[in-house]
Amino acid sequence: NAGVTQTPKFQVLKTGQSMTLQCAQDMNHNSMYWYRQDPGMGLRLIYYSASEGTTDKGEVPNGYNVSRLNKREFSLRLESAAPSQTSVYFCASSSDGFSGNTIYFGEGSWLTVV
Amino acid sequence: SQQGEEDPQALSIQEGENATMNCSYKTSINNLQWYRQNSGRGLVHLILIRSNEREKHSGRLRVTLDTSKKSSSLLITASRAADTASYFCATAKTGSARQLTFGSGTQLTVLP
C-alpha cells in the first residue's frame, strides 16, 4: 500500500543550488500535483499534470519546473533555490482531476534553503 | 489568495465533546472537500460534498454546505484524542475543477 511516495524527506540547500524532488504513485492515477505548505497559509498549488505528457501552472509556479516522466512519476525541480522556497512540499495524485475524486497525498518533503 | 478560510484557527475541546469547524469561500464551486493532517504527515481526504448537496455524513463526521452563504461546516461528534489534527477545507471552483484551493486550516486539540 505505497500510494504516493516522495523523496527526499528532508533536504537543506544553499541559496543558488538546484535539486529535484521525486514523486511516484502506484494507483494508476491520471492526475498528479505539487503543492507547497507554509505556516498559516494552507497548501498552494505549484504545478499539476492532468495526464502523462501534460503539465500546467498552478497558483505559485515561479522558480519551479516540473516533468511528468511517465504515468507514475512527476518531479519538481528548483533550478536556483532561494530562501523563499523554504517550505514543506507535497506531491499528490487523483484518478481524474478534482471534479469529484479523492486526492491522495504523499508524506511531504521538508526543504530548507539557507 | 485563499479561496477557503477556516474558522476558528484553533479549537481545544474535551474528549467526548463535539467539534465544529467552519469554512467560507468566495466563488462558485463544483465541490468542497475536507482533509485532515496529523502533525508532520500528509493530508488525508475525509469527505467530499458536491455543490448540489446540502449535507453529508461519514461515520462521526457531518458536513453541511450552504452555497447561498458560501460556507461549509464540519462536525466531528464524540471526539477522541486521536482526532487531534489540523483540518482543511478545499474547494474546486466551477470551471476550474483541476485547481483545488485550500484554506489555512483549523488546529483541533482534543484533550483526554
Side-chain angles (χ1 to χ4, degrees):
Chain A
N1 292 337
V4 179
T5 303
Q6 54 180 110
T7 56
K9 181 80 171 179
F10 299 98
Q11 183 72 49
V12 178
L13 286 178
K14 294 182 179 179
T15 298
Q17 286 185 321
S18 63
M19 77 160 295
T20 299
L21 299 175
Q22 307 286 354
C23 176
Q25 50 92 8
D26 62 2
M27 295 173 282
N28 201 36
H29 284 166
N30 289 316
S31 299
M32 297 186 73
Y33 317 89
W34 276 105
Y35 284 90
R36 61 178 287 173
Q37 184 176 31
D38 301 300
M41 296 193 69
L43 277 76
R44 292 182 291 170
L45 182 64
I46 304 171
Y47 271 94
Y48 64 98
S49 170
S51 61
E52 185 179 351
T54 69
T55 61
D56 287 285
K57 295 178 180 179
E59 183 184 353
V60 287
N62 291 344
Y64 305 95
N65 286 302
V66 290
S67 296
R68 184 74 182 267
L69 305 171
N70 47 56
K71 192 170 186 178
R72 289 188 64 250
E73 298 173 290
F74 188 40
S75 63
L76 177 72
R77 183 162 178 83
L78 287 69
E79 291 291 352
S80 179
S84 61
Q85 294 178 304
T86 293
S87 188
V88 183
Y89 291 85
F90 288 97
C91 179
S93 71
S94 67
S95 60
D96 186 19
F98 301 114
S99 61
N101 298 290
T102 298
I103 297 177
Y104 295 84
F105 283 84
E107 291 295 294
S109 296
W110 273 253
L111 176 65
T112 300
V113 183
V114 297
Chain B
S1 62
Q2 297 292 319
Q3 161 74 331
E5 293 295 337
E6 287 90 342
D7 170 60
Q9 289 187 330
L11 179 62
S12 183
I13 60 174
Q14 294 294 133
E15 205 164 28
E17 294 181 336
N18 295 341
T20 299
M21 288 160 271
N22 302 297
C23 171
S24 60
Y25 58 91
K26 298 175 183 175
T27 65
S28 295
I29 61 171
N30 179 287
N31 66 74
L32 185 145
Q33 305 178 30
W34 285 90
Y35 287 79
R36 165 195 169 124
Q37 183 181 34
N38 285 41
S39 180
R41 307 295 299 274
L43 279 74
V44 176
H45 182 266
L46 294 176
I47 195 166
L48 179 151
I49 186 166
R50 300 182 192 281
S51 59
N52 61 353
E53 298 176 310
R54 292 297 167 257
E55 186 170 318
K56 205 163 184 179
H57 295 254
S58 177
R60 293 185 295 113
L61 305 180
R62 172 178 169 250
V63 171
T64 62
L65 179 63
D66 187 336
T67 53
S68 67
K69 295 181 180 180
K70 292 184 169 59
S71 66
S72 173
S73 67
L74 170 67
L75 169 67
I76 304 173
T77 60
S79 63
R80 306 165 182 168
D83 293 329
T84 294
S86 292
Y87 292 82
F88 295 87
C89 70
T91 52
K93 297 179 188 178
T94 303
S96 300
R98 296 196 183 283
Q99 296 220 18
L100 196 64
T101 306
F102 286 81
S104 54
T106 291
Q107 172 61 51
L108 173 66
T109 302
V110 181
L111 303 170

